[in-house]
Amino acid sequence: MTKFKNSFLINKLTTKMKTSSKIYVAGHRGMAGSAILKKLEKAGYNNFILRTHKELDLTVQKDVKIFFAEEQPEYVFLAAAKVGGINANNTYKADFIYQNTIIASNIIDAAYSNNVKKLLFLGSSCIYPKLAPQPIKEEYLLTSELEPTNEAYAIAKIVGLKMCAAYNEQYGTDFISVMPTNLYGPGDNYNPENSHVFAALIKKIHDAVQNGDTTVSIWGSGTPRREFLYSEDLADACIFIMENYSHKKTGECLNIGTGKDLTIKELAETIAKVADFTGKLVFDTSKPDGTPQKLLDISKISTLGWKPKTSLLEGIKKTYQNYKKQQKQNILLLREKSS
């Protein structure tokens, strides 16, 4: 407890965001970024700098430098990243390691060069070793080998974390690294080629209900255990941390999760129940499982006074309703285009 308290500067010693502060949310159209932006707006913040990928390619260093020099953001939420599920991570390793490394490098260095007061970097729980003791503490980072299927993405995220720590140490910046567990919620990617497990299950089971299918095939054995955090809870945690705490004198990262996990099979069964799917779930054991278990130790952020608000069942219901609404809108758009 004492050691942890000493590793953070409390709010009295760090710059406090104001509602008029100039805030850049990198990746504001993604699941995490859009949730952060929505929460900031709800909290009364009103001075945002936003750029789509077409407007600003974060992999182009020159453009990122010009953007920061011209806009001079005071606070940065770095939620931009190339993301995907186990299939995408394993298939496009070069894309994942290159794009995520260069995005983090470009933004972190530009933030330092333009005197950003505070930056929050969103990493991922996949940075931890494949066989890390459970629940996973922040200090387990780099203690053994990573999960091979997402190693490229994990290394890129570790680079971002270590860059934040190095810039803090050498230049006295205030760059915070948070490591969320598996996310789900509005704005998720449901593309079957590169979606994460939660979104993939939502789509597969919903399609089965719509098509009258009696079976749904699911990757792997169903036995790996995963922890899931609703995107709005992640946003709430990020803003809580940005408003109140600082990494100015430490290279630590901070886990964000629920502290609870379940098997993929249990998750699929729960989604099936919410979607009223009465058929059979078939697990394809020829497909990889990934890490056996990935449960985060959230004692540090809990000590700070934050905890998630959304239960998994409530989050599944909200996400499924949002997905069905999105599907209806897509159908209407297709009808309008064809008419």
Side-chain angles (χ1 to χ4, degrees):
M1 181 79 157
T2 303
K3 180 180 177 183
F4 178 53
K5 281 189 174 180
N6 290 341
S7 73
F8 277 86
L9 300 178
I10 60 173
N11 186 48
K12 291 180 181 179
L13 301 179
T14 189
T15 306
K16 181 74 172 178
M17 279 199 307
K18 300 175 182 177
T19 54
S20 60
S21 295
K22 205 169 188 180
I23 301 170
Y24 172 43
V25 181
H28 73 282
R29 286 188 166 180
M31 177 167 56
S34 62
I36 290 170
L37 178 59
K38 182 180 177 182
K39 281 282 185 180
L40 285 167
E41 290 173 332
K42 190 175 181 180
Y45 292 96
N46 53 50
N47 190 5
F48 301 108
I49 313 167
L50 306 172
R51 294 291 186 277
T52 64
H53 176 71
K54 287 184 178 180
E55 293 169 330
L56 176 64
D57 186 343
L58 296 175
T59 66
V60 181
Q61 185 183 62
K62 179 182 73 173
D63 293 348
V64 174
K65 285 188 173 184
I66 292 171
F67 166 74
F68 269 81
E70 289 180 349
E71 296 293 344
Q72 292 291 308
E74 297 176 79
Y75 298 89
V76 175
F77 289 86
L78 207 180
K82 180 177 177 61
V83 298
I86 188 170
N87 183 46
N89 271 278
N90 202 29
T91 305
Y92 306 110
K93 293 179 179 180
D95 294 340
F96 274 87
I97 196 167
Y98 172 75
Q99 292 186 33
N100 287 300
T101 298
I102 201 165
I103 287 170
S105 299
N106 287 345
I107 293 180
I108 291 168
D109 187 67
Y112 154 67
S113 299
N114 291 275
N115 302 308
V116 166
K117 292 177 181 178
K118 189 181 289 187
L119 176 146
L120 186 140
F121 169 70
L122 272 77
S124 167
S125 59
C126 73
I127 65 165
Y128 293 114
K130 176 178 181 177
L131 301 178
Q134 304 292 316
I136 306 171
K137 297 179 183 291
E138 289 87 345
E139 53 264 35
Y140 295 164
L141 178 66
L142 297 176
T143 55
S144 60
E145 293 181 356
L146 298 166
E147 159 59 38
T149 57
N150 60 26
E151 182 181 57
Y153 179 72
I155 288 173
K157 287 299 183 180
I158 292 169
V159 168
L161 184 160
K162 290 298 183 182
M163 279 192 72
C164 288
Y167 275 66
N168 287 349
E169 183 178 347
Q170 184 172 341
Y171 298 122
T173 51
D174 195 358
F175 295 167
I176 306 165
S177 295
V178 297
M179 299 300 132
T181 191
N182 301 283
L183 300 178
Y184 71 98
D188 206 345
N189 170 28
Y190 294 96
N191 186 317
E193 296 299 318
N194 52 24
S195 59
H196 287 101
V197 62
F198 197 104
L201 289 173
I202 289 277
K203 176 174 173 50
K204 281 187 175 184
I205 292 171
H206 175 76
D207 287 351
V209 172
Q210 294 300 304
N211 299 331
D213 297 335
T214 57
T215 62
V216 170
S217 178
I218 299 171
W219 269 44
S221 65
T223 59
R225 302 189 67 86
R226 292 292 182 269
E227 176 185 18
F228 294 94
L229 179 69
Y230 192 54
S231 57
E232 290 183 7
D233 284 346
L234 168 72
D236 185 65
C238 289
I239 295 165
F240 171 83
I241 293 164
M242 186 73 105
E243 286 179 331
N244 296 288
Y245 293 92
S246 169
H247 272 318
K248 208 161 188 177
K249 290 186 178 180
T250 176
E252 283 187 345
C253 62
L254 189 63
N255 288 340
I256 303 178
T258 65
K260 301 175 183 178
D261 65 2
L262 75 169
T263 66
I264 298 300
K265 182 183 179 189
E266 289 169 335
L267 174 66
E269 289 171 343
T270 306
I271 292 173
K273 186 175 181 180
V274 168
D276 293 324
F277 175 69
T278 57
K280 185 178 181 182
L281 302 175
V282 179
F283 293 87
D284 184 357
T285 55
S286 69
K287 303 296 185 183
D289 271 337
T291 305
Q293 185 179 19
K294 197 168 59 171
L295 175 64
L296 295 183
D297 185 310
I298 58 168
S299 57
K300 288 185 177 180
I301 193 169
S302 298
T303 301
L304 297 178
W306 181 86
K307 61 181 180 180
K309 299 178 176 68
T310 310
S311 71
L312 182 61
L313 181 58
E314 180 188 359
I316 290 173
K317 289 178 179 178
K318 286 182 177 181
T319 303
Y320 187 56
Q321 289 303 316
N322 181 269
Y323 177 73
K324 288 198 294 183
K325 182 180 178 181
Q326 180 182 314
Q327 293 303 106
K328 287 180 180 178
Q329 289 173 343
N330 291 341
I331 292 170
L332 289 174
L333 286 172
L334 285 172
R335 285 175 181 173
E336 287 177 8
K337 287 180 180 180
S338 61
S339 60

